[in-house]
Structures are given as C-alpha cells and as structure tokens.
Amino acid sequence: MSDAAQPTAAEVRAAAEAVKTALDRHLAAVERRSGEEDPAVYDAFNELAAAAEAYDELLYDRYDEVTPFEIPGEDTLPPYTGPEEPSALSVLIRRDYAVAEPQRLMAQARRVEAADEDAPGAGASGTVHGALGLLFGEFEPDEIASRHKEFGLEEGDSTLWVTAADESAEPGEWLEAPFEEVDPERVVCRFDVSAVFDEEFDDGDEEEEEDEGEGEGEDSEADLADLDEDLDTDLDRDLDEDGEPARLEADR
C-alpha cells in the first residue's frame, strides 16, 4: 500500500478507542441480559466484532501488524424470534454449479430432446443455456445434485434454510419475488456445504495429485471417444418402461 493510502496514526488510535467502547457496551449488555437470546447482547456482539475488524485492518495498513482477535464470519444467524410452534414452513435452497464440461452437458440435453416429443423447439440443446433449461426441466434438482458430474457440472457452495411462517402463503402469492423478503430471525435452521469447510490437503497429498495428473492428456482422446457411450448408458436408466423419459411431477 502506498503512503498516500495509509491511514494516519490518529485514525488507528480512534479505531482502538472504538474497540474499547464496544467492549464496554458488550460487557454491559451481557451483565443485563434477559435471556439466552437477548437481542441487546446480539447487537453489542456485532458492534464489537465490527469495531475489532476495523481496528485490525487499520493497524495492519499503518503498521503491518495484526491483532490476536479472531473476527467471526457473517454466516451466523440472529436469535430466532419466530413462532414457537410454526404452522407453516418455507424451505429455501441455493446450489451453485460451474459448467465444467459444456459438450457433455449439451450431449445429455440432445438425448432428452430426441426422446421427448414435448421438448422445446428443435435446437435448444445446441446452446449451454438451452441445454440447462432442458435438463433442469427434465430432472429433479436433487437428482441433478447427485449426478452433477454426468451432466458436465461441478458443484460449488450450497445452502438450505428452513424458515417459519405464521400461516401458509396463498397460491401464487410470492412467485414474482420468491427470495426478496426472507427474515433471518425466522430461520429455524440452516445447512451449508462449501469447500471452505474441507480440511486442507498437506503438501504430500498435493504432490501426489500432481503426479497422478501427469499423462492425463494422453487419454483425452479416448475419453472423448467414450463420451457418447457413457451418455447413452446414463440416459437409458432414466427411461420408463415405454421408452419415454421420466417426467417431473411438479410444474416448473
């Protein structure tokens, strides 16, 4: 960082004072807490975390020094304030994928297109976005998640939130903006999957993987030659007894 962009000593000192003030407020909130999920304690905790993070950054920028504080991430949820006995639930799911093998993806879509008389207009499988529409219209999201490699996809992060509601929504009530009004204080539970939770490989494992990766290019032509055969096998097991692809029961 250039000298012009560095914070001043006074700014670092002010940030340190802000940490002290936030620490006092947090202790006072804890001493006056009304229960295990007192919102005042939660707010004071967040203020202290923000102040400590700001001080840590300024200290490093100015003096190339760090603090011993571990700043908690923002993946924690606020205390639950929803109904104790929810009469309705909403399940919010997000799964991220990378299109790792576009040719495999489109090849799978072509087979669905060829076997399904009700598929969209001809040629939809000729583009990645068209192929995605065909496959996600044909297979349940959970099946795609379990077989993502067969569709040329690579898994990214995923999360599932279960939120409580006082009553079930009216049909079509939230379809125009399904994810806009999610109240984090009504989240009953959440489940996250991410590579950041995986244990780090040691250097020996990384070297072993590199050794195993050598020579992969030599087999690439053979792999491509086997692609159609593999995809035919994949599709065959998705056909029903009449030779038609298994359709989704739910409307999309």
Side-chain angles (χ1 to χ4, degrees):
M1 175 177 290
S2 65
D3 292 340
Q6 283 184 344
T8 64
E11 289 174 328
V12 179
R13 173 63 62 181
E17 293 300 326
V19 173
K20 297 175 187 177
T21 300
L23 190 62
D24 289 338
R25 289 176 179 172
H26 181 260
L27 177 58
V30 171
E31 291 173 339
R32 297 192 303 267
R33 74 187 312 160
S34 58
E36 291 185 1
E37 298 183 349
D38 189 335
V41 175
Y42 173 78
D43 291 339
F45 173 89
N46 283 342
E47 291 177 6
L48 177 57
E53 184 173 14
Y55 171 63
D56 189 86
E57 291 179 357
L58 290 173
L59 185 70
Y60 181 80
D61 290 343
R62 176 69 186 183
Y63 300 110
D64 197 24
E65 190 58 68
V66 296
T67 68
F69 308 139
E70 180 179 351
I71 308 302
E74 297 182 357
D75 58 346
T76 56
L77 291 170
Y80 176 75
T81 61
E84 293 186 4
E85 298 182 3
S87 59
L89 296 173
S90 290
V91 180
L92 310 176
I93 301 175
R94 172 174 173 169
R95 294 186 178 119
D96 283 2
Y97 297 95
V99 181
E101 299 180 73
Q103 295 304 320
R104 177 179 286 273
L105 175 75
M106 291 187 288
Q108 284 278 28
R110 282 196 297 272
R111 283 156 177 76
V112 170
E113 196 173 45
D116 187 358
E117 296 179 356
D118 296 326
S125 61
T127 63
V128 171
H129 74 272
L132 288 170
L134 280 169
L135 293 175
F136 277 88
E138 189 65 39
F139 301 99
E140 290 283 0
D142 286 344
E143 183 172 5
I144 290 180
S146 64
R147 299 174 53 193
H148 61 277
K149 292 183 179 179
E150 299 176 28
F151 298 114
L153 302 176
E154 182 179 307
E155 281 186 314
D157 288 355
S158 66
T159 187
L160 182 151
W161 293 25
V162 178
T163 64
D166 296 316
E167 58 184 13
S168 298
E170 294 295 327
E173 179 179 347
W174 48 258
L175 290 179
E176 291 186 1
F179 306 113
E180 274 193 355
E181 299 181 2
V182 180
D183 185 352
E185 294 187 355
R186 283 181 168 249
V187 176
V188 178
C189 56
R190 63 178 288 181
F191 304 94
D192 300 325
V193 177
S194 175
V196 300
F197 303 137
D198 296 339
E199 294 182 358
E200 296 289 340
F201 290 110
D202 58 33
D203 294 339
D205 289 340
E206 291 179 354
E207 292 177 0
E208 182 178 348
E209 289 180 359
E210 290 177 0
D211 292 340
E212 292 176 353
E214 294 179 0
E216 287 182 353
E218 300 173 2
D219 298 330
S220 59
E221 294 183 2
D223 291 340
L224 290 175
D226 293 338
L227 178 59
D228 284 343
E229 181 179 349
D230 292 342
L231 294 177
D232 286 335
T233 302
D234 295 339
L235 185 64
D236 287 343
R237 72 187 190 191
D238 294 317
L239 299 179
D240 60 21
E241 294 179 356
D242 297 327
E244 294 294 332
R247 299 295 300 172
L248 295 180
E249 296 180 359
D251 292 334
R252 298 197 180 278

